[in-house]
Amino acid sequence: MLDALRVAVSDVNGQVGTVPLVRVQLLRAPIIESCRRLLDAAVPEPLLPGLQTVAAQAYTLAGRTAFETRDDEASRALYAAATAAAGGTGSPWRRAAVHMSHALVTLYSTPGIEAAQQLVDAAVRDARAGESVTVRARAHALQAEIAVRAGAERTARAALALAWYDLDSDRDGDPASSSFSAAHLRGFEGVTSLYVGDPAEAQDYFAQSAEALQTPRERVQRAIVATDQALARIRLDEPESAAELLRGCIDAASATGGRVASIRLRRARSDLRLRRREDWFADLDDHLIESLGA
């Protein structure tokens, strides 16, 4: 039963970014129910860490999809369950991964950054205590984004340096080596540069990141990075070029139903509002309304 659940979670997780999130939500429902029943049952002690691992992964995925489909209350409950399950695995890096996913959705569903900051700090503590250098790199990268959003540039730069140090370390045998890459980290460097007012540098980082994020699984992340790249182009006074990028991002967000991508798209559109009399802006607006309904 446990092996079947593990395979099912892996299969559903592999479809994120390639199919609409509503479908992912339907696929994960029976997995969540199975995890709940098993956790409430008398499971032999040797099997518990494995069950907790599968449950943590399933609840995290469910929490993210609940957020993406705008059910924030369910998302919070599922992340709480994921955190509890990850705490029973004996692997701190797994709880760090839950905290990071939770921090990202909190950043976009809760006013301010304090709640997300607390989750990122917890993720960094767990990642440093865990055996996955890759998860540690991702935690430091997310720490950099939160710091620069708060105006703490030096802290952000230091966190990025730690992320690169982790990523360049020996990761042979890392249990989560595929969860974060240099392409992802370039995106975080771009965000940092964008917030400190260097749009040219940000544009370059985002372009490098988007070019490397090409797998179907990375489609949502690529759309987010490309949207940020469009913001950099707007600040470089290249609005029409930015609009062209945004059209592709709209298509990706529409196909997957990604909430974060949609939020960032609308922010980019707002930054273009001074050009609303241009024909290309009207075309972009029409495409946005037709695809995302706003």
Side-chain angles (χ1 to χ4, degrees):
M1 178 65 174
L2 186 55
D3 286 342
L5 269 179
R6 188 177 291 112
V7 170
V9 170
S10 178
D11 287 347
V12 174
N13 192 43
Q15 294 190 52
V16 175
T18 64
V19 300
L21 284 162
V22 172
R23 180 180 173 186
V24 174
Q25 192 173 35
L26 291 173
L27 291 172
R28 57 85 170 165
I31 298 173
I32 294 301
E33 183 59 27
S34 296
C35 288
R36 283 174 175 161
R37 290 185 180 186
L38 285 171
L39 288 171
D40 288 340
V43 178
E45 191 71 26
L47 296 180
L48 272 177
L51 175 59
Q52 298 279 21
T53 296
V54 173
Q57 293 171 333
Y59 288 142
T60 300
L61 175 59
R64 179 61 187 263
T65 55
F67 159 78
E68 297 284 8
T69 53
R70 294 165 177 76
D71 190 347
D72 292 337
E73 184 177 349
S75 179
R76 286 190 290 271
L78 287 161
Y79 273 114
T83 303
T89 65
S91 300
W93 70 267
R94 293 192 181 277
R95 190 167 60 184
V98 175
H99 286 322
M100 285 188 281
S101 180
H102 194 187
L104 284 169
V105 305
T106 299
L107 186 62
Y108 288 96
S109 61
T110 304
I113 63 171
E114 292 78 10
Q117 175 73 69
Q118 291 174 6
L119 287 164
V120 169
D121 289 345
V124 170
R125 288 193 297 270
D126 279 339
R128 287 175 175 172
E131 63 271 32
S132 174
V133 179
T134 305
V135 167
R136 196 181 312 155
R138 185 180 169 209
H140 283 136
L142 189 53
Q143 185 180 47
E145 177 170 349
I146 296 296
V148 78
R149 284 174 179 269
E153 180 183 355
R154 290 181 62 185
T155 300
R157 296 290 189 191
L160 284 175
L162 287 172
W164 275 115
Y165 176 82
D166 294 330
L167 210 56
D168 290 338
S169 299
D170 180 7
R171 293 188 289 147
D172 186 39
D174 192 312
S177 60
S178 63
S179 62
F180 191 73
S181 67
H184 294 96
L185 186 48
R186 288 295 183 198
F188 283 96
E189 286 186 310
V191 169
T192 299
S193 295
L194 194 62
Y195 270 86
V196 301
D198 192 341
E201 184 178 67
Q203 143 69 27
D204 290 344
Y205 282 137
F206 290 136
Q208 293 172 40
S209 179
E211 184 178 1
L213 295 169
Q214 292 293 336
T215 68
R217 182 72 171 78
E218 295 167 334
R219 187 179 186 187
V220 173
Q221 185 61 37
R222 187 174 189 275
I224 291 170
V225 169
T227 302
D228 288 341
Q229 185 183 357
L231 283 172
R233 288 186 179 181
I234 292 169
R235 295 179 190 182
L236 288 169
D237 198 25
E238 300 174 7
E240 193 167 358
S241 173
E244 188 60 33
L245 263 180
L246 292 175
R247 290 185 66 86
C249 300
I250 291 169
D251 293 338
S254 175
T256 61
R259 184 177 175 185
V260 173
S262 297
I263 290 171
R264 286 166 102 132
L265 275 167
R266 292 185 177 95
R267 289 178 181 172
R269 184 264 179 200
S270 179
D271 280 7
L272 283 170
R273 64 188 180 277
L274 293 178
R275 307 290 183 129
R276 60 184 178 273
R277 298 185 185 279
E278 303 282 353
D279 290 342
W280 53 260
F281 181 88
D283 290 341
L284 178 68
D285 237 17
D286 288 344
H287 191 46
L288 184 63
I289 293 169
E290 290 170 2
S291 301
L292 300 176

